[in-house]
Amino acid sequence: MINQVLQSLPYIVPELIVTGTLCLVLLLSLMMRKKSDLLVFVAALGLFAALAVLTSQPFASACLFFKMTVIDPFSQFFKLVILFAALIVVLMSRFSDEVNQIKKSLGEYYFLVVSMTLGMMFMVSASNLLMMYLSLELTSLTSYVVVGFIKQSKNSSEASLKYLLYGAFSSGVMLYGISIIYGLTGTMELSGINQVLAQGSANTAMLLIGGIMLLVGFGYKISAVPFHFWTPDVYEGAPTTITAFLSVASKAAGFAMLMRALKIMFLDSSALEIGNEFWPLIHGIPVVEILSVLAVLTMTIGNLVALWQDNVKRLLAYSSIAQAGYMLLGLATISNEGYSAVMLYFIVYLFMNLGAFYVAMLISNTLGSENIHDYKGLGRRAPFLSVSMAVFLVSLTGIPPTAGFIGKWMIFLSLINVKMIGLAVIGVLNSVVSLYYYLRIVRNMFLHEGEKEEVAIRYPLAQQLLLLCLMVPTLYFGIFFNPLIELVQFSVQMFGIK
Amino acid sequence: MEIKFLHIGILTWITFLPVLGMIVVLLLPKEQKQAIRWTSLAFTILQVILAVVIFQNFDRTLAGINSKEGMQFVEQYRWIDIKSTSWIGRIAIDYFVGIDGISVPMVLLTALISCIAVISSFSIEKSIKGYFALLLLLDTGMMGVFVALDFFLFYVFWEIMLLPMYFLIGVWGGPRREYAAIKFFIYTLLGSVLMLLAMLALYFSVTIKDGNEVIHTFNMLAMMNPENFVHGSLLEGVGTSWRYVAYIALFIGFAIKVPAFPFHTWLPDAHVEAPTAISVILAGVLLKMGTYGLMRIAFPIFPDAAIHYLYPLAFIGFINIIYGAYCAMAQKDFKKLIAYSSVSHMGIVLLGMAAMNTQGMMGAMFQMFNHGTITAMLFLIVGVIYDRAHTRGLDDFGGLMNKMPKYSGIMMIAFFAALGLPGLSGFISEAFSFLGAFQTFKWLTIASAFGIILTAAYMLWTLQRVFLGTLPEKWNNLTDINGREMAMLVPLAVIVIILGIYPSPVLDLMNSSANALVDFVKNSAGIAMLGQ
């Protein structure tokens, strides 16, 4: 037994590094309370080291810890996304006035962010329902705390409480779903469940109920409609850095878990043929229908409600709901191509969404406001910031030559390939709707004159450099997307399936 | 035919010169207003010089349309190449540009109009660095659309134009600029996403041989060959319902840009609010992209559907002509009048195309060119008077003829060209279009020709209201046009007159391509019908 644990350890070096980092951050914050820069440095260095180790083992593929977790290109890919997002968020936090005003507990802040990262890393590699639940809870519990991090702010506390209540409820439902599935199949291990289902002995109705309950947990994490009600309030109330982190990394982890569960549990591996676009699914469970409805609801409601928002963070919250809808479209194709399109979308989304939140954070640092009407005249006062915001928003809309277009293009490509034309039409019409609210921000920045006197706002070089790090890939990958597609096509492989 | 400078083909140069210009403009300090203006002008003049080189070296005998050999100044490089996996074949996208008789007049027009738009923009004072940078980016987008032979590339260029246009209208426009800008953007994006879906459906339906591998492709020329369609794919076969759907999706995408009735409502708003130079570009070049797209993409790729929907297309053309003319007649705003006259004149292009014979096609193509020059003049004329009087109300003026003789002279050329007076270029293209259309749609053409009378009516009425009669006291200190305004109007006037008397320089360019296009569409649709 101990042997297997020891054998598994080399594969989770990145996780171990992250664990070490979080211990170190905690210790440092106890010993040296005043040195916040040191904390940032240690956290960033730890995350960077984890990233470096991760990229050095791209072909690893194994089953670890008594089939609790696996390591495969798929999980490696999502860990990459999560670690990168965490790194950016840590650097962002360094520049955030909101976070830095709480000097006393900065150590806890970085500690919690790194723990969230650890939870997410386990989420993407979990191959057992119990492990999925545990890692999901690790992520959730830490994020409840960090969302309410600004104790003086009423909004932040409200957000935290709301997040906690919704989270507790949905993870309860999820747990119940897991118990039903366990009762039906006698195992919690995904491929084991698949084998039992393939025999067709399980009661379909009960399985459907269990599956939908499980979906509640996933849906909550990726904020799909109708499990999205917490999202706007939490995104608005939480510190902007955390909002950015939740909207990218947490969503990525939720998606990875959902994608793995779907594929491993419901794929009929006996009928699998090489070269077939559609995966044969174990019959009786309307996976495609459920996902399609979810996708359409998520993007349409997200987009329509976003039209009315005046708070930029809230607007971006609804936008990120809608973005999850587009990704669900890719899932609904139930094909390797759809999966790789979603993964591609995540890389792109990482840059553009973090970028948009980063700009919103910098602006609220100086203006003290997140209201869209206060953005008036910023195009002249802070040209570089405004231009990059415009790039991110255009990319979120999906207009070439930005990377966002490539993400959407791949998703629609996979939809057309499996002849889901109705969904593709709804998808593109939604992106036309989204143009309106994304441009509302741009419009306020460039088309309106500011009411107050126009003083140029200057930002330190370091802050601009970080912004550049997010903007350049958004533009570059819009034109040269070869490497991205190659990466996701490689990474779509999961352990246990050809 | 190939011309290269520094190992880079002339089409790449002509397309990306403005982007180089944009970079230079962005590097200049924003206080250097004159430097920014002259840099932009220098780059667009270079572009015009390249256009002249193309005009000189263009082989008039080659048809192009569906064969790479017939295309000229071709450049083809692999842009995106992703090796195949077990579930999806290789993805390969080319940077593939080339021109034939359909595109070459448009390339010339784009270079010319961009240059004139830059001259006309010299009077802009508000944040000119951003203005010229965006204008140059827009120029690249337009030029790219006309040279691209790969659908993906075409789409990217098509979309690149949207954002600069949005800002140019939205920041430098009139009082209702925000509304006009967002309306333009949303309408066009709606059209282009439909085009995107049609493009993706085509991608999966068409394969070509690349070395030993069979791969899907965005190559437009490959899409025109029915043999390249994969058996069992969505758009395979002839006259299948999905082919009609895809054609309609493409058609809507292009019709919004034309703009064809009932998608035309963005145009008057955009024109009225846009600054003069942008109106000139909008009417002079952007509208042509719609009809160009129909000729370059929709017709040859879906000949069966195109033939099937010829009558509806002609009917839309007819509505455009008559409805546009009536709307123009009702306007009190000079610019809005010209905007609606554009709707009417683009209707003639649609009608001529729908005739699907050589005269009609030639007429349509020539009308695209002529409308570009004539309407550009009209908008510049409005701009001149607006710069001086700060109003565009038709009823506010009168008797300008005596006050501004040079201006009135140029105005007369533009007005009479627009109403189709023989001896000026508009007449020839309209006559060709109607002649062609008459052979195919007798009654519809007769009814449409009534639009010519309406055009004459509103043009002459406008002329009377603005230029004849007595001059109101308040305009006593209006000055005649200055040298810069002459510089942008006179070249256009010269072109309008020369092409009115001797149209062959342009007609020769497109003759063989127009023939080939008509033959190709008719033949492939005909073979297809027989095969059924």
Side-chain angles (χ1 to χ4, degrees):
Chain A
M1 228 168 129
I2 202 81
N3 235 359
Q4 194 176 1
V5 173
L6 285 178
Q7 276 167 7
S8 301
L9 280 179
Y11 289 106
I12 59 159
V13 174
E15 279 90 339
L16 292 178
I17 294 177
V18 172
T19 317
T21 310
L22 71 90
C23 295
L24 201 61
V25 167
L26 198 61
L27 277 176
L28 279 178
S29 75
L30 287 176
M31 292 187 295
M32 294 177 262
R33 274 186 178 281
K34 295 280 155 60
K35 304 213 167 156
S36 65
D37 278 353
L38 186 69
L39 289 174
V40 177
F41 179 73
V42 168
L45 194 72
L47 291 169
F48 186 78
L51 258 177
V53 174
L54 191 71
T55 44
S56 70
Q57 48 176 20
F59 297 100
S61 182
C63 202
L64 313 175
F65 297 112
F66 315 102
K67 293 187 175 175
M68 276 293 181
T69 63
V70 292
I71 184 167
D72 51 15
F74 182 78
S75 66
Q76 298 291 83
F77 172 85
F78 274 101
K79 280 179 208 166
L80 199 77
V81 170
I82 289 164
L83 279 173
F84 197 81
L87 187 60
I88 300 277
V89 166
V90 165
L91 294 176
M92 265 169 80
S93 307
R94 168 69 188 78
F95 302 132
S96 165
D97 288 356
E98 219 175 2
V99 172
N100 287 313
Q101 67 182 351
I102 305 181
K103 286 231 161 51
K104 263 199 254 165
S105 39
L106 268 182
E108 290 156 38
Y109 173 84
Y110 290 108
F111 166 74
L112 288 169
V113 169
V114 179
S115 332
M116 265 167 89
T117 315
L118 183 67
M120 290 170 193
M121 287 170 82
F122 277 115
M123 270 167 87
V124 301
S125 50
S127 68
N128 181 304
L129 289 180
L130 199 61
M131 187 63 200
M132 281 183 167
Y133 180 76
L134 284 176
S135 46
L136 189 117
E137 282 298 283
L138 173 58
T139 315
S140 299
L141 286 173
T142 43
S143 46
Y144 301 145
V145 182
V146 85
V147 162
F149 183 70
I150 312 171
K151 287 170 208 140
Q152 305 93 310
S153 154
K154 234 178 166 180
N155 273 348
S156 181
S157 314
E158 185 197 326
S160 173
L161 191 63
K162 231 172 208 165
Y163 198 23
L164 174 70
L165 289 177
Y166 275 101
F169 175 74
S170 52
S171 62
V173 174
M174 185 183 176
L175 199 58
Y176 192 30
I178 291 177
S179 71
I180 291 178
I181 291 177
Y182 180 66
L184 283 170
T185 57
T187 173
M188 294 228 244
E189 199 250 319
L190 293 180
S191 53
I193 295 172
N194 181 271
Q195 282 166 13
V196 178
L197 293 184
Q199 292 159 7
S201 55
N203 181 332
T204 318
M206 282 312 287
L207 188 67
L208 197 61
I209 293 172
I212 287 176
M213 286 179 146
L214 199 58
L215 191 66
V216 173
F218 295 139
Y220 156 79
K221 211 71 208 158
I222 63 176
S223 55
V225 175
F227 317 112
H228 69 289
F229 292 102
W230 60 273
T231 318
D233 292 327
V234 170
Y235 280 20
E236 190 184 344
T240 312
T241 46
I242 297 304
T243 308
F245 196 42
L246 286 180
S247 74
V248 176
S250 179
K251 195 163 278 191
F255 258 98
M257 222 160 69
L258 176 60
M259 283 157 89
R260 187 187 293 278
L262 265 178
K263 190 170 175 183
I264 308 275
M265 274 165 73
F266 297 119
L267 179 74
D268 188 355
S269 41
S270 60
L272 190 67
E273 282 172 52
I274 301 286
N276 195 353
E277 291 131 1
F278 247 120
W279 299 334
L281 290 177
I282 290 171
H283 61 89
I285 303 153
V287 176
V288 176
E289 287 78 359
I290 291 175
L291 283 176
S292 309
V293 171
L294 218 57
V296 170
L297 279 180
T298 305
M299 59 188 176
T300 313
I301 291 180
N303 274 328
L304 290 183
V305 183
L307 292 175
W308 312 109
Q309 302 308 319
D310 276 341
N311 181 302
V312 172
K313 263 164 89 182
R314 209 176 169 84
L315 187 148
L316 288 175
Y318 279 107
S319 123
S320 84
I321 295 177
Q323 301 283 340
Y326 301 124
M327 299 179 201
L328 279 171
L329 279 181
L331 249 64
T333 62
I334 304 289
S335 62
N336 269 331
E337 218 200 323
Y339 266 43
S340 53
V342 175
M343 292 162 76
L344 179 83
Y345 206 99
F346 261 112
I347 310 183
V348 172
Y349 182 70
L350 170 82
F351 292 110
M352 60 192 185
N353 214 41
L354 282 182
F357 274 114
Y358 181 51
V359 175
M361 185 196 91
L362 289 181
I363 290 174
S364 94
N365 271 354
T366 43
L367 296 186
S369 162
E370 285 147 8
N371 193 302
I372 200 165
H373 298 294
D374 293 333
Y375 278 43
K376 283 181 185 159
L378 272 178
R380 284 157 172 272
R381 298 178 63 190
F384 177 61
L385 219 64
S386 310
V387 167
S388 37
M389 186 66 159
V391 169
F392 296 133
L393 293 174
V394 165
S395 180
L396 283 165
T397 320
I399 296 175
T402 55
F405 167 65
I406 303 305
K408 285 228 170 81
W409 176 74
M410 273 289 278
I411 285 185
F412 294 130
L413 197 76
S414 65
L415 280 171
I416 297 278
N417 194 20
V418 296
K419 301 196 168 83
M420 288 177 155
I421 292 162
L423 281 185
V425 171
I426 298 174
V428 295
L429 291 183
N430 257 295
S431 64
V432 176
V433 173
S434 73
L435 173 75
Y436 184 79
Y437 62 81
Y438 288 128
L439 277 190
R440 272 188 71 203
I441 302 180
V442 176
R443 200 170 66 184
N444 273 295
M445 288 176 134
F446 290 97
L447 271 54
H448 288 283
E449 307 288 328
E451 283 148 18
K452 292 168 214 150
E453 54 177 323
E454 297 201 343
V455 193
I457 308 173
R458 304 226 172 274
Y459 291 93
L461 189 65
Q463 299 188 0
Q464 295 196 15
L465 271 181
L466 183 59
L467 190 55
L468 210 60
C469 288
L470 293 167
M471 185 172 78
V472 168
T474 310
L475 288 172
Y476 178 83
F477 289 136
I479 300 171
F480 303 103
F481 45 94
N482 238 353
L484 287 192
I485 297 187
E486 272 167 7
L487 174 66
V488 295
Q489 290 197 339
F490 166 73
S491 304
V492 80
Q493 304 168 55
M494 283 184 203
F495 181 79
I497 289 180
K498 295 281 170 309
Chain B
M1 173 57 70
E2 258 184 272
I3 298 180
K4 287 192 172 184
F5 307 103
L6 307 172
H7 303 288
I8 298 172
I10 190 165
L11 289 184
T12 305
W13 276 111
I14 202 171
T15 309
F16 290 101
L17 255 183
V19 168
L20 288 181
M22 180 185 86
I23 293 168
V24 175
V25 163
L26 286 178
L27 291 177
L28 289 169
K30 68 175 167 223
E31 292 76 27
Q32 296 282 343
K33 294 193 172 180
Q34 286 303 339
I36 292 173
R37 288 178 182 138
W38 286 99
T39 313
S40 314
L41 184 62
F43 275 93
T44 44
I45 286 178
L46 265 179
Q47 207 186 13
V48 172
I49 293 171
L50 287 183
V52 172
V53 172
I54 289 177
F55 178 77
Q56 291 293 338
N57 292 288
F58 186 80
D59 183 344
R60 272 82 170 155
T61 54
L62 289 173
I65 305 297
N66 66 334
S67 74
K68 190 182 167 189
E69 292 70 36
M71 290 288 169
Q72 304 182 43
F73 311 106
V74 174
E75 291 165 63
Q76 188 169 18
Y77 311 106
R78 193 58 24 113
W79 171 16
I80 297 295
D81 193 356
I82 296 150
K83 58 184 185 304
S84 62
T85 58
S86 59
W87 71 89
I88 186 164
R90 195 160 128 219
I91 300 176
I93 302 172
D94 284 350
Y95 172 80
F96 182 20
V97 294
I99 49 177
D100 63 1
I102 307 179
S103 31
V104 82
M106 293 297 108
V107 169
L108 301 181
L109 185 69
T110 308
L112 178 71
I113 297 290
S114 301
C115 184
I116 284 172
V118 169
I119 301 177
S120 141
S121 304
F122 270 43
S123 56
I124 298 267
E125 288 293 338
K126 184 178 168 188
S127 36
I128 61 169
K129 188 170 160 181
Y131 179 89
F132 280 102
L134 288 167
L135 189 66
L136 290 168
L137 184 61
L138 178 68
D139 188 2
T140 287
M142 297 187 300
M143 195 57 96
V145 164
F146 292 126
V147 299
L149 289 178
D150 185 278
F151 209 155
F152 191 85
L153 189 66
F154 178 90
Y155 187 81
V156 169
F157 279 127
W158 181 276
E159 297 271 275
I160 282 181
M161 293 173 327
L162 295 183
L163 212 61
M165 204 64 194
Y166 170 78
F167 282 115
L168 286 169
I169 299 176
V171 177
W172 288 272
R176 288 173 68 237
R177 54 179 188 250
E178 272 184 44
Y179 170 76
I182 191 82
K183 193 170 177 181
F184 162 79
F185 205 156
I186 287 186
Y187 259 87
T188 347
L189 188 68
L190 180 69
S192 41
V193 293
L194 293 176
M195 189 161 88
L196 174 72
L197 291 184
M199 170 176 105
L200 293 178
L202 275 168
Y203 173 74
F204 283 112
S205 305
V206 177
T207 52
I208 51 166
K209 269 220 171 83
D210 185 81
N212 298 323
E213 254 181 305
V214 176
I215 56 169
H216 289 296
T217 180
F218 284 107
N219 185 332
M220 283 184 206
L221 307 185
M223 288 173 181
M224 293 173 195
N225 186 353
E227 285 167 17
N228 286 337
F229 280 78
V230 186
H231 188 66
S233 61
L234 204 59
L235 299 179
E236 187 246 353
V238 185
T240 53
S241 46
W242 279 117
R243 279 181 75 85
Y244 290 132
V245 172
Y247 176 78
I248 290 172
L250 279 181
F251 179 75
I252 293 177
F254 294 132
I256 287 176
K257 209 75 169 195
V258 172
F261 181 88
F263 308 111
H264 66 284
T265 56
W266 63 268
L267 182 81
D269 287 312
H271 267 312
V272 170
E273 300 308 325
T276 303
I278 303 310
S279 285
V280 168
I281 288 188
L282 200 56
V285 183
L286 248 69
L287 305 191
K288 275 79 208 170
M289 283 176 188
T291 42
Y292 173 78
L294 286 173
M295 286 179 186
R296 164 70 62 222
I297 296 175
F299 280 7
I301 294 181
F302 297 105
D304 45 345
I307 295 282
H308 189 260
Y309 288 122
L310 277 187
Y311 194 81
L313 180 62
F315 195 74
I316 289 175
F318 158 71
I319 296 180
N320 259 34
I321 296 172
I322 300 293
Y323 175 79
Y326 269 120
C327 284
M329 205 177 275
Q331 299 310 319
K332 294 208 181 323
D333 181 318
F334 205 157
K335 220 170 174 186
K336 214 164 188 171
L337 178 132
I338 311 290
Y340 275 111
S341 87
S342 274
V343 174
S344 179
H345 281 118
M346 289 309 282
I348 298 177
V349 178
L350 292 178
L351 187 70
M353 270 169 28
M356 202 47 82
N357 52 30
T358 310
Q359 282 109 322
M361 198 58 83
M362 290 278 279
M365 286 154 120
F366 197 30
Q367 172 75 359
M368 278 157 69
F369 187 85
N370 288 338
H371 177 256
T373 47
I374 295 169
T375 316
M377 276 182 86
L378 291 173
F379 277 116
L380 289 170
I381 285 167
V382 180
V384 167
I385 193 78
Y386 184 72
D387 279 349
R388 287 166 173 65
H390 301 289
T391 173
R392 292 186 302 255
L394 289 169
D395 298 328
D396 296 346
F397 295 103
L400 291 182
M401 191 79 90
N402 295 327
K403 190 75 202 162
M404 308 167 75
K406 279 189 270 179
Y407 175 65
S408 306
I410 294 212
M411 173 278 304
M412 298 266 254
I413 298 171
F415 269 47
F416 286 120
L419 62 79
L421 190 78
L424 296 170
S425 64
F427 168 74
I428 297 175
S429 54
E430 286 177 23
F432 264 103
S433 304
F434 283 118
L435 228 99
F438 186 72
Q439 295 165 25
T440 320
F441 315 102
K442 214 176 233 158
W443 292 108
L444 203 61
T445 311
I446 294 174
S448 305
F450 185 59
I452 300 283
I453 300 171
L454 293 177
T455 309
Y458 68 75
M459 280 295 177
L460 291 175
W461 190 30
T462 308
L463 197 153
Q464 187 191 335
R465 279 187 286 178
V466 177
F467 294 92
L468 307 179
T470 51
L471 185 76
E473 293 253 322
K474 57 178 170 176
W475 304 132
N476 267 336
N477 48 1
L478 285 184
T479 49
D480 208 345
I481 50 177
N482 57 30
R484 181 178 62 84
E485 287 158 346
M486 284 295 251
M488 62 203 190
L489 278 163
V490 169
L492 290 173
V494 170
I495 290 174
V496 167
I497 294 171
I498 291 181
L499 291 182
I501 301 163
Y502 183 60
S504 348
V506 175
L507 288 181
D508 285 350
L509 286 178
M510 47 206 188
N511 192 4
S512 49
S513 292
N515 266 326
L517 177 62
V518 170
D519 285 347
F520 176 74
V521 172
K522 276 190 168 164
N523 283 342
S524 25
I527 291 165
M529 295 303 165
L530 284 179
Q532 260 182 334

